Amino acid sequence: MSVVETVLERVPGPLRSLLLKHRELLKFAVVGGTTFLVDNGVWYLLKFTVLMDKPTTAKAIAILVATIVSYVLNREWSFRTRGGRETGHEATLFFVISGVAVAVNLVPLLISRYVLHLQRPEVSLFVQETADFISGSVIGMLLAMVFRFWGFRKWVFPDELGGIRRETLARR
């Protein structure tokens, strides 16, 4: 029995049917939570070590690392019954959509730092870090996640190609 099925067994009936209906979204959210941890772990590691004066660069690198993790997890778990394109083509589309999502993710952090000037010396270190987290890791990531889910379903893992992928999985 899969992890998702084990969790769903413990959920009350009406909510279970809703979650089953949106199983793909639920899996995507779990992958998003995992990549959230990867993204923030890498961001803070870089931001407080080698890229202290370049938080936006550190965030961009963190997003790229998390995107690679996201591709593997989404392809093999969230959207495993969708798609069916040749892997190179699928990966290219995934990284193009994710590249646009990187820009979407960075916009709130850029606005926070360079338009609202929520950075030192204008504000305290605590305010700067709180603003960075809210703009870069909450607002930016949520906006990018919505964009990615829509883009992945529409172009990277379209359901109309899912038959090809389902047949391949059935042969294993």
Side-chain angles (χ1 to χ4, degrees):
M1 184 179 295
S2 75
V3 174
V4 173
E5 289 168 347
T6 303
V7 170
L8 287 174
E9 274 185 357
R10 300 172 193 263
V11 174
L15 181 57
R16 183 181 318 126
S17 61
L18 179 67
L19 292 175
L20 284 170
K21 182 179 177 184
H22 300 289
R23 179 183 297 198
E24 198 171 76
L25 179 60
L26 181 62
K27 288 180 176 182
F28 182 80
V30 169
V31 170
T34 302
T35 57
F36 176 83
L37 295 174
V38 170
D39 178 6
N40 284 296
V42 172
W43 184 31
Y44 281 103
L45 178 71
L46 293 173
K47 184 175 164 177
F48 291 121
T49 58
V50 296
L51 293 172
M52 274 185 151
D53 297 329
K54 299 182 186 252
T56 306
T57 303
K59 184 65 174 176
I61 292 168
I63 292 167
L64 292 174
V65 170
T67 300
I68 292 167
V69 172
S70 176
Y71 175 68
V72 173
L73 294 176
N74 276 305
R75 183 177 199 287
E76 298 303 322
W77 190 52
S78 301
F79 300 110
R80 90 183 274 255
T81 61
R82 289 175 152 264
R85 291 186 165 91
E86 188 268 327
T87 304
H89 185 216
E90 183 179 84
T92 300
L93 289 171
F94 185 94
F95 287 102
V96 167
I97 295 294
S98 294
V100 173
V102 167
V104 170
N105 198 318
L106 288 173
V107 167
L109 179 60
L110 290 167
I111 291 170
S112 174
R113 280 282 180 131
Y114 306 113
V115 175
L116 301 176
H117 302 289
L118 295 175
Q119 61 183 335
R120 294 189 70 185
E122 286 85 4
V123 298
S124 70
L125 179 62
F126 177 77
V127 170
Q128 172 185 290
E129 294 309 314
T130 301
D132 281 359
F133 182 78
I134 292 169
S135 62
S137 293
V138 177
I139 298 169
M141 197 168 289
L142 285 173
L143 291 172
M145 192 171 179
V146 168
F147 175 77
R148 281 185 180 107
F149 186 71
W150 171 77
F152 292 167
R153 285 176 52 93
K154 181 151 180 75
W155 289 300
V156 182
F157 307 108
D159 200 34
E160 58 269 11
L161 297 176
I164 298 167
R165 188 91 191 268
R166 287 188 284 275
E167 287 172 17
T168 304
L169 290 170
R171 283 183 264 170
R172 288 184 183 174

